[in-house]
Amino acid sequence: MALGQLSFRRILLSRLLLVSVPVLLMGVYLTYRKGRSAFLETARQNLTESAIRKGQSLNDSVEALKANLVTASDSLVLRSGSQQDQQKFLQQLTTTLPLKILCLQLRDLRTQKLTVSTCQDAPKNAVNAQTWPQQRTELLTQPDQILIQIVPPAQNVFEDSQNSQLKLLLAAPIYDQNNRLFYELVIKVALLNKEKTVPGSLEGYPVVINQSGTILAHPFPQKVGHNIQQEADAERLNSLIRSALAGRQDFLHLFALEKDGVELVAGYRSIPSPVTAEKGQKWIVLAVTPLDDALAPLQEIQRVLIYLVLALITATFFAILYIAWELSRPVIKLRDYALNKEHLHSKDPIPLNFKIREFDQLAVAIQDMIQRLQTWGEEIVSSWQEAQNANRIKSEFLATTSHELRTPLNGIIGCLQILKDGYCDSREEELEFLAQANEAAVHLLGIINDVLDIAKIESGKLSVKIEPVNLNQLLTEVINLQNATIQTKGLRLITDDNAQTIMVNADPAKLKQVLLNVLGNAIKFTAKGTITITTEIVNQDINFRQVKITFKDTGIGIDPKKQGKLFRPFIMADSSTTRKYGGTGLGLAISRNFMMLMGGNITLSSEGLDQGTTVEIYLSY
């Protein structure tokens, strides 16, 4: 060994120590940052959910108050009872309402004097009663007659409380027995109470800001009534309001407010403003908590990490000693193997009993790579076979379409040639040939339109115009168009006597094409028997209402094994069906795509050959 050279074991030991300690410290630091990010993300998610709950609670509270106020305003006690009964009624109402009621008052609008009150302060004319009609035409008071406004923070209209937040005045008209405006029932209520956040709690305290940026509720009373432009972080707050007004209630935003440098984290959502004068505007409800409170569990983790680092550094030193000795063994074995010339032509394998996991993982990875290559090869073969099958199907489609095009073309040419050569003996015979040519031309146009429609569908250029459509009227038009064919074949058409007008959301031209196609198929493939058409409302949920149109025939039916492919373009049940009944196999594919574009669906079922077919069409209404 040359002078100045070190053994591999010593070099490995020194390098491992030089690398592992900084890496260990960096890993602990990254772990801490990762934990902090996880806690912060959890806080953001919980605060957003809390803001959604608080906003919903505000909405529900206002609606409940309006409902109770409407009920109270129509009570006989307030309309015609004595003052003592009215006082007792208001006291009972104060205890039964779900929120904190600060005051209830009944004012005579004719004398402008207070009649009954549950608080001692005299009221101010805070509600504009002129919006109510002097003579009521409705049987009962309507919720939209309830006037709502915010109590300004500096105004002491009624008896107040320091713990109350976001106070509202709600006023309802009370009419006498002759339906003349008599009283005004005013209620002052605190929608929110001052909340104290607990470290680690992720509920947050509520902050409410209106659309113009005025703070309506805040844990610091001195900030209520201020505009966010007065805040140190006005730019971020403006961005938050824009996001909330855009409907992004799940978006989370970290911001700071000027209060002893405390950094806050907030979730938010927007709700419609309940205030009468702010109709059409929104409130932004925030759930806010100090960042330190959200990250309170992280302090214990910090202490644990300090002790853990000291223990890991000690354990790492001894572990590296063992690792350096263990890792040097394979190197020594490989060196001895290489220096022994007898092993150069030996068939003995290189020693592999090193107990090094990475080599095993590498072998597994190579094996997995080979398996993936085999899988990719099989997929390529399968794709090639599918391409060949697609080419075959399209070739069959071209042959079928050529035949379908040639037949009406020959008919048109033959009829016109007869007319041209003057073989007709009468005007009626000429009109008969012209009618045959016209029928063939219409049939030819239908085939061309189907081909153009499927081309538009495959290129993604087909669009629909959704509008309300009278389903009953459209079905009648479709049946009238096919009625002559039905009578010619001697079929019996059964429809339900549904007198209810059903309006569906669809493109009228596309829906009519689908209905004509389905009814045409039923007529084409039914030699005798009946065709039944029914309409049924299958889902009356306010958010998802559907109507089902069912076409059921007693025709040739379809093999269950072949039903799944009938909605693919260029496909028919079998070639014999194509030869016997004609068609290109595009009708159901076009119908399925039309229904999907209109937000509906179409399904087909049959119990088997000669068992008839049922087609169901679903549309929203």
Side-chain angles (χ1 to χ4, degrees):
M1 180 170 44
L3 295 176
Q5 290 184 340
L6 299 176
S7 67
F8 174 74
R9 186 173 296 175
R10 290 187 178 182
I11 294 175
L12 188 60
L13 177 61
S14 61
R15 298 297 187 271
L16 287 175
L17 287 173
L18 185 62
V19 173
S20 61
V21 173
V23 169
L24 175 62
L25 295 176
M26 181 60 70
V28 171
Y29 173 74
L30 293 176
T31 301
Y32 170 76
R33 296 297 301 178
K34 186 69 174 178
R36 186 180 185 277
S37 299
F39 277 110
L40 190 58
E41 184 63 28
T42 300
R44 290 177 177 178
Q45 294 176 358
N46 289 339
L47 286 173
T48 298
E49 295 174 358
S50 177
I52 294 173
R53 291 194 298 271
K54 292 179 189 298
Q56 187 62 44
S57 176
L58 287 177
N59 269 334
D60 295 344
S61 299
V62 171
E63 293 302 321
L65 282 172
K66 290 171 67 176
N68 281 281
L69 206 54
V70 166
T71 303
S73 66
D74 289 322
S75 65
L76 290 175
V77 176
L78 295 183
R79 296 179 66 183
S80 59
S82 64
Q83 186 172 352
Q84 291 78 10
D85 292 338
Q86 291 172 344
Q87 180 72 34
K88 184 178 179 181
F89 181 83
L90 292 188
Q91 293 291 349
Q92 292 176 348
L93 185 60
T94 302
T95 59
T96 56
L97 290 176
L99 295 175
K100 182 177 181 180
I101 305 302
L102 302 178
C103 189
L104 275 169
Q105 293 184 338
L106 188 67
R107 184 163 63 94
D108 191 330
L109 293 177
R110 293 174 295 184
T111 62
Q112 299 298 322
K113 291 183 179 180
L114 182 64
T115 302
V116 179
S117 175
T118 62
C119 53
Q120 298 178 355
D121 292 341
K124 297 181 180 179
N125 189 15
V127 179
N128 183 13
Q130 296 179 358
T131 58
W132 296 322
Q134 294 297 319
Q135 186 74 27
R136 182 169 67 175
T137 58
E138 301 287 342
L139 182 62
L140 300 173
T141 302
Q142 302 301 313
D144 57 2
Q145 292 181 316
I146 305 299
L147 302 180
I148 305 176
Q149 71 178 39
I150 299 175
V151 179
Q155 181 180 354
N156 186 22
V157 179
F158 303 116
E159 185 176 336
D160 207 344
S161 173
Q162 293 296 328
N163 293 324
S164 301
Q165 294 252 334
L166 193 56
K167 308 177 192 69
L168 293 182
L169 278 181
L170 291 89
I174 298 179
Y175 293 84
D176 59 15
Q177 297 296 334
N178 297 320
N179 287 327
R180 290 193 299 269
L181 187 61
F182 191 16
Y183 290 118
E184 173 190 49
L185 177 60
V186 181
I187 178 172
K188 181 182 179 184
V189 61
L191 290 184
L192 298 173
N193 292 321
K194 189 173 180 180
E195 299 179 7
K196 183 178 180 181
T197 59
V198 179
S201 172
L202 298 179
E203 277 294 319
Y205 52 76
V207 174
V208 181
I209 305 173
N210 67 12
Q211 190 166 329
S212 61
T214 302
I215 299 176
L216 305 179
H218 196 283
F220 307 128
Q222 63 272 19
K223 289 187 177 292
V224 176
H226 289 193
N227 195 280
I228 60 172
Q229 303 300 333
Q230 301 172 271
E231 300 296 331
D233 209 356
E235 183 177 352
R236 282 190 177 180
L237 289 172
N238 283 323
S239 175
L240 181 148
I241 289 178
R242 289 192 297 269
S243 298
L245 293 178
R248 293 192 287 272
Q249 65 183 22
D250 56 341
F251 180 75
L252 299 166
H253 188 68
L254 187 65
F255 64 100
L257 291 176
E258 189 177 2
K259 177 64 179 176
D260 300 328
V262 176
E263 191 174 4
L264 304 175
V265 61
Y268 60 89
R269 70 161 291 181
S270 63
I271 62 173
S273 172
V275 177
T276 304
E278 297 178 357
K279 188 174 182 180
Q281 298 189 24
K282 293 184 177 181
W283 284 359
I284 292 83
V285 181
L286 299 88
V288 183
T289 191
L291 183 61
D292 291 341
D293 288 353
L295 299 179
L298 197 62
Q299 297 177 357
E300 182 64 27
I301 295 177
Q302 285 178 318
R303 290 192 292 269
V304 173
L305 285 177
I306 292 174
Y307 296 124
L308 183 62
V309 167
L310 296 177
L312 285 177
I313 290 176
T314 302
T316 299
F317 175 77
F318 290 103
I320 287 176
L321 286 176
Y322 172 76
I323 292 172
W325 177 79
E326 189 68 25
L327 291 180
S328 63
R329 289 175 57 200
V331 176
I332 295 173
K333 286 188 176 183
L334 290 173
R335 181 199 62 184
D336 294 341
Y337 184 87
L339 292 177
N340 191 344
K341 296 181 180 180
E342 294 181 357
H343 290 166
L344 293 178
H345 304 286
S346 175
K347 296 182 180 179
D348 295 336
I350 297 176
L352 296 176
N353 55 343
F354 301 143
K355 299 181 181 179
I356 298 177
R357 183 179 58 187
E358 282 72 14
F359 286 104
D360 296 335
Q361 292 176 340
L362 180 61
V364 172
I366 293 174
Q367 184 179 4
D368 291 343
M369 182 177 63
I370 294 173
Q371 291 177 351
R372 287 197 297 272
L373 289 173
Q374 292 174 345
T375 302
W376 292 340
E378 293 173 356
E379 290 177 355
I380 291 172
V381 173
S382 177
S383 299
W384 178 82
Q385 291 175 347
E386 289 181 0
Q388 292 292 104
N389 188 42
N391 287 333
R392 180 184 59 80
I393 291 174
K394 288 201 173 183
S395 296
E396 292 179 357
F397 166 73
L398 289 175
T400 302
T401 304
S402 298
H403 173 74
E404 290 292 323
L405 292 173
R406 187 166 57 247
T407 299
L409 278 174
N410 288 335
I412 294 170
I413 294 171
C415 291
L416 294 178
Q417 191 66 41
I418 291 172
L419 291 172
K420 178 182 177 182
D421 294 341
Y423 290 124
C424 296
D425 296 330
S426 63
R427 178 62 178 170
E428 288 76 10
E429 190 175 0
E430 290 179 352
L431 291 176
E432 182 180 352
F433 279 109
L434 285 174
Q436 292 177 5
N438 180 68
E439 183 179 353
V442 171
H443 179 65
L444 179 61
L445 180 61
I447 295 173
I448 295 173
N449 284 336
D450 285 348
V451 174
L452 291 176
D453 284 341
I454 202 67
K456 288 181 181 179
I457 290 170
E458 291 188 344
S459 63
K461 295 181 179 180
L462 187 67
S463 61
V464 295
K465 183 179 180 182
I466 303 299
E467 61 184 60
V469 178
N470 189 325
L471 180 60
N472 310 71
Q473 180 179 346
L474 193 63
L475 275 173
T476 301
E477 293 176 4
V478 170
I479 292 172
N480 289 338
L481 288 173
Q482 299 285 0
N483 197 35
T485 308
I486 294 173
Q487 293 178 358
T488 301
K489 294 191 70 173
L491 301 176
R492 181 187 176 194
L493 179 64
I494 302 174
T495 59
D496 54 359
D497 298 329
N498 191 355
Q500 179 185 3
T501 300
I502 302 176
M503 301 299 294
V504 296
N505 300 317
D507 184 314
K510 300 293 188 294
L511 180 57
K512 186 174 183 179
Q513 184 175 344
V514 172
L515 296 176
L516 280 171
N517 180 270
V518 174
L519 181 56
N521 283 345
I523 297 170
K524 181 194 298 184
F525 298 113
T526 303
K528 60 180 180 178
T530 61
I531 297 175
T532 304
I533 303 175
T534 60
T535 57
E536 176 187 3
I537 296 175
V538 295
N539 195 337
Q540 299 190 30
D541 187 87
I542 190 170
N543 296 319
F544 185 69
R545 301 186 299 177
Q546 274 195 327
V547 61
K548 180 176 72 173
I549 312 160
T550 304
F551 292 81
K552 186 174 183 180
D553 62 60
T554 58
I556 63 174
I558 304 168
D559 187 347
K561 296 180 180 179
K562 299 179 180 180
Q563 294 175 17
K565 65 179 183 179
L566 288 179
F567 287 103
R568 293 162 54 187
F570 321 120
I571 298 296
M572 295 190 72
D574 55 51
S575 57
S576 62
T577 302
T578 305
R579 290 193 297 270
K580 181 177 180 180
Y581 295 97
T584 60
L586 296 178
L588 287 178
I590 293 172
S591 298
R592 166 66 66 85
N593 282 277
F594 280 176
M595 294 308 302
M596 292 178 67
L597 287 172
M598 291 185 289
N601 194 15
I602 180 171
T603 62
L604 180 146
S605 61
S606 174
E607 295 183 1
L609 296 177
D610 299 324
Q611 299 296 317
T613 304
T614 300
V615 177
E616 294 178 343
I617 298 174
Y618 294 88
L619 277 170
S620 62
Y621 73 99

